[in-house]
Amino acid sequence: MKFEYVNPFLISMVKVLTTMANIECSAGKAYLKETMSAEGQVTGIMGLGGEKTKGSFAVSFTKPVILDITERMLGETITTIDATVIDMVGELTNMSAGGAVAQLSQKGYDLNMGTPVVVSGESHHIDHSSKGPIIVVPFTTNAGDFFVEISFVTIE
Amino acid sequence: MKFEYVNPFLISMVKVLTTMANIECSAGKAYLKETMSAEGQVTGIMGLGGEKTKGSFAVSFTKPVILDITERMLGETITTIDATVIDMVGELTNMSAGGAVAQLSQKGYDLNMGTPVVVSGESHHIDHSSKGPIIVVPFTTNAGDFFVEISFVTIE
């Protein structure tokens, strides 16, 4: 996987959260995912495909973080991961991937997005079934952590 | 959503399972998904994007069905949803979506696939965060049921 795919997603994710939710977040050290367990309780997933490359992008939020983000964006106090939160995760996934696709397009990588799929549940596990490595980047906010996962492969 | 997107996925799914696993399966009546709960214990998800349309395809297997399929494909008895089963679901998702994309291409719909993402866990819920309807098609096999979910939207 070319690591130049990673940064546009991170930049876009931070931009979306700071703009939409006025939330400060800082990226930690990236690592390769070795297990299939998602770290959060709600995960937005986006598949992206192009002529030369394809991949998947996921953002997994712990419950306190996504409740904080939803509250900041809607001005309502929300205590459970309900349909409103699920929709919010879908929108955040869509916007973040969209911003990354725009950046990658300027670098000559053309990718088309699918529609976001949101997974929720305390015990869900996510595996990017790709032949390439999975890069995980942990993010810290005042309300807790969330995790971005990116996996891309070159089409042979 | 144009319903002509649905059939290629169903045809491809059946073809992959009959060819690869020598398993007979019959499609039940399609319905619109109203809730976000996946019906199975392991779900393969594929995002698909094109110039004019984008969507997501998911296939959710109950545990007895995916263990039966894996056993038929590998000739080994498997009792839990382990890494082998997860890989198998990723492959089945990839092959089924690939066959559907080929059929849709012949009809003039060009879609690029992402890479498959596999979700597992007893209590996971799947929501296609798309503005379009989600079509669910239940399938019956001798070992139990599985469910195909398809959601596509036109890009405006």
Side-chain angles (χ1 to χ4, degrees), chain A residues 35-100:
Chain A
T35 70
M36 64 181 182
S37 295
E39 307 280 349
Q41 279 81 55
V42 58
T43 305
I45 296 167
M46 176 69 82
L48 303 107
E51 296 294 325
K52 296 175 188 166
T53 188
K54 60 183 180 177
S56 53
F57 158 70
V59 53
S60 193
F61 295 99
T62 54
K63 187 175 170 183
V65 173
I66 195 60
L67 294 184
D68 182 49
I69 290 170
T70 308
E71 193 168 330
R72 285 165 176 269
M73 288 179 71
L74 301 184
E76 297 169 29
T77 301
I78 292 177
T79 55
T80 57
I81 295 175
D82 61 7
T84 301
V85 175
I86 300 280
D87 274 355
M88 184 67 68
V89 173
E91 280 301 316
L92 291 171
T93 306
N94 207 36
M95 286 187 285
S96 302

Side-chain angles (χ1 to χ4, degrees), chain B:
Chain B
M1 186 171 86
K2 292 182 182 173
F3 286 85
E4 59 200 300
Y5 288 119
V6 176
N7 269 345
F9 285 94
L10 306 184
I11 292 166
S12 181
M13 186 86 239
V14 170
K15 189 174 176 186
V16 166
L17 286 178
T18 50
T19 310
M20 304 295 287
N22 194 27
I23 197 169
E24 280 187 37
C25 52
S26 58
K29 195 168 156 46
Y31 58 91
L32 285 174
K33 190 177 187 179
E34 305 289 348
T35 70
M36 65 182 180
S37 295
E39 306 280 348
Q41 279 82 54
V42 57
T43 305
I45 297 167
M46 175 68 82
L48 303 107
E51 295 296 323
K52 296 175 188 166
T53 188
K54 60 183 179 177
S56 52
F57 158 70
V59 52
S60 193
F61 295 99
T62 54
K63 188 175 170 184
V65 173
I66 195 59
L67 294 184
D68 182 50
I69 290 169
T70 308
E71 194 169 328
R72 284 164 177 270
M73 287 179 73
L74 301 183
E76 295 170 28
T77 301
I78 291 177
T79 55
T80 58
I81 294 175
D82 61 7
T84 301
V85 175
I86 300 281
D87 273 355
M88 183 67 68
V89 172
E91 281 298 315
L92 291 172
T93 306
N94 207 36
M95 286 188 284
S96 301
V101 164
Q103 289 178 56
L104 286 164
S105 174
Q106 289 178 346
K107 293 183 181 179
Y109 301 107
D110 283 320
L111 287 167
N112 290 315
M113 297 197 294
T115 46
V117 175
V118 180
V119 180
S120 54
E122 286 295 329
S123 69
H124 73 274
H125 309 283
I126 302 285
D127 185 52
H128 299 254
S129 187
S130 146
K131 303 302 177 198
I134 302 155
I135 308 293
V136 185
V137 181
F139 280 84
T140 305
T141 76
N142 283 339
D145 297 337
F146 67 90
F147 302 85
V148 167
E149 300 186 357
I150 298 158
S151 182
F152 273 89
V153 288
T154 303
I155 299 171
E156 286 153 14

Side-chain angles (χ1 to χ4, degrees), chain A residues 8-9 48 96-106 109-113:
Chain A
F9 285 93
L48 303 107
S96 302
V101 164
Q103 289 178 56
L104 286 165
S105 174
Q106 289 177 347
Y109 300 107
D110 283 320
L111 287 168
N112 290 315
M113 296 198 294

